[in-house]
Amino acid sequence: MQIINSVQEMQQWCLSHKKAGKTIGLVPTMGYLHNGHLALVKAARKECDIVVVSVFVNPIQFGVGEDFEEYPRDLSHDAGLLEKEQVNAVFAPPVREMYPAGYNTFVEVTGEITQKMCGNSRPGHFKGVTTVVSKLFHICFADRAYFGQKDAQQAMIVDKMVRELNFPLEIIRVPIVREPDGLAMSSRNVYLDADQRKQALVLNQALQAAQQVIQEGERNIEVVRDVMKKKIEQSPDARIDYIEINDARDLSTVERITEPVLLALAVRFGNTRLIDNLLVEV
Ligand code: PAF
């Protein structure tokens, strides 16, 4: 497994495989890998000749006062895990390699899809994501790129960008991987103390409770939202950032639940902000 830090070297390495007729699968990550990331890697390994995993904590998707500095990093541990998954190359550029002094080019998806949920709580976040993944797609000549459904809004926005800018690649979404007790895997779970870790189970419980009332026939958005709110409020330390129910295809606003919906939550425990979601068919 190669570990490559330079953009030019990565581009040449991928181009040589491309010219040899190989398909390239890219798994973009910010490192500190867990089984959720490894599910993306395994999917890429199954479907592509060459698998590249990028490990880059992207400063431009973090807002002022967010956790860019503290974000957990452990490249040698990540490399060990990726080697076992038979990844061909890890791309781990320094920040200055991706954003040299004077860098001024950004890619932004506008409209409702980027304005609600995390787009509302984290202004500029998705512009940072679409910019960095555009760069990664170009650097790695990816045929397929793998994104987790845990960041459902991110995957939808990237998919829209790829379609609208005619990027020649396919976005593959991989289901959420959960701990045995239901907590969605996230690199940020390490920030939780033991008590917060227990309380964080309310995210998945709230989603399950909402799914149940929808399956029992409830169609009113406010009623379903209230079910989730009440469940989360059972945790004394939980501070709700958002609870949203939107159209599962494009996150547009729905009046009533008549089509598949995405139930989405962001909740803080202390300084840690967790997100989770569930797609519910009707
Ligand atoms: O989901 C993430 O880890 C990041 O947002 C991504 C896609 C790697 C871009 O930095």
Side-chain angles (χ1 to χ4, degrees):
M1 187 180 77
Q2 305 271 321
I3 299 189
I4 297 174
N5 307 116
S6 126
V7 167
Q8 203 189 357
E9 200 185 319
M10 189 73 236
Q11 220 160 16
Q12 278 166 0
W13 189 89
C14 288
L15 196 54
S16 67
H17 286 288
K18 200 78 186 158
K19 282 183 178 158
K22 307 284 188 203
T23 55
I24 299 179
L26 170 68
V27 182
T29 82
M30 297 206 299
Y32 214 74
L33 305 178
H34 50 68
N35 285 338
H37 297 109
L38 297 184
L40 306 179
V41 174
K42 285 180 206 297
R45 185 66 287 164
K46 251 193 216 153
E47 296 171 2
C48 307
D49 300 321
I50 298 291
V51 177
V52 177
V53 177
S54 60
V55 174
F56 178 64
V57 185
N58 175 34
I60 67 166
Q61 70 185 72
F62 289 79
V64 178
E66 289 188 353
D67 57 344
F68 172 68
E69 299 294 343
E70 301 81 45
Y71 196 85
R73 293 160 169 91
D74 191 344
L75 183 58
S76 57
H77 184 248
D78 291 345
L81 295 174
L82 296 174
E83 182 110 54
K84 283 199 198 114
E85 299 297 333
Q86 296 172 318
V87 164
N88 302 92
V90 175
F91 179 48
V95 170
R96 275 285 168 234
E97 184 70 9
M98 291 294 273
Y99 304 115
Y103 185 91
N104 261 328
T105 304
F106 299 89
V107 180
E108 186 172 20
V109 175
T110 58
E112 202 178 14
I113 195 168
T114 47
Q115 282 160 4
K116 51 178 50 172
M117 294 166 51
C118 294
N120 187 35
S121 320
R122 305 183 65 189
H125 168 68
F126 287 121
K127 183 175 167 186
V129 170
T130 42
T131 299
V132 80
V133 298
S134 299
K135 287 172 70 73
L136 292 169
F137 295 164
H138 286 129
I139 294 165
C140 299
F141 294 91
D143 295 287
R144 300 194 184 97
Y146 293 79
F147 289 83
Q149 181 63 16
K150 155 112 184 324
D151 296 296
Q153 187 178 18
Q154 166 174 279
M156 278 183 183
I157 291 168
V158 172
D159 190 63
K160 185 172 167 67
M161 174 194 79
V162 160
R163 281 183 283 112
E164 293 185 354
L165 288 180
N166 311 105
F167 278 70
L169 89 162
E170 199 186 340
I171 299 300
I172 313 285
R173 293 192 217 172
V174 176
I176 298 179
V177 179
R178 296 182 181 278
E179 302 284 357
D181 61 8
L183 182 68
M185 289 196 182
S186 163
S187 305
R188 290 190 167 99
N189 290 349
V190 295
Y191 297 148
L192 302 169
D193 65 29
D195 187 41
Q196 291 170 335
R197 170 70 183 72
K198 250 187 238 156
Q199 292 192 43
L201 296 181
V202 286
L203 273 84
N204 184 42
Q205 289 165 358
L207 295 169
Q208 296 299 328
Q211 172 170 254
Q212 192 176 336
V213 295
I214 296 172
Q215 284 171 349
E216 285 165 2
E218 186 55 67
R219 295 290 175 261
N220 185 310
I221 296 284
E222 286 316 316
V223 173
V224 178
R225 201 197 310 267
D226 214 45
V227 167
M228 291 194 272
K229 185 166 178 281
K230 289 217 169 80
K231 187 80 209 170
I232 293 168
E233 284 171 350
Q234 287 173 4
S235 266
D237 296 335
R239 281 182 297 125
I240 295 169
D241 179 354
Y242 65 74
I243 300 176
E244 292 212 20
I245 303 170
N246 292 301
D247 190 304
R249 288 161 304 188
D250 57 4
L251 297 187
S252 57
T253 302
V254 291
E255 299 297 328
R256 281 179 66 75
I257 301 170
T258 54
E259 300 285 345
V261 283
L262 185 79
L263 313 177
L265 307 171
V267 179
R268 284 180 202 280
F269 295 89
N271 292 329
T272 308
R273 180 175 173 280
L274 300 180
I275 58 172
D276 202 349
N277 68 77
L278 184 65
L279 195 141
V280 181
E281 307 278 347
V282 283

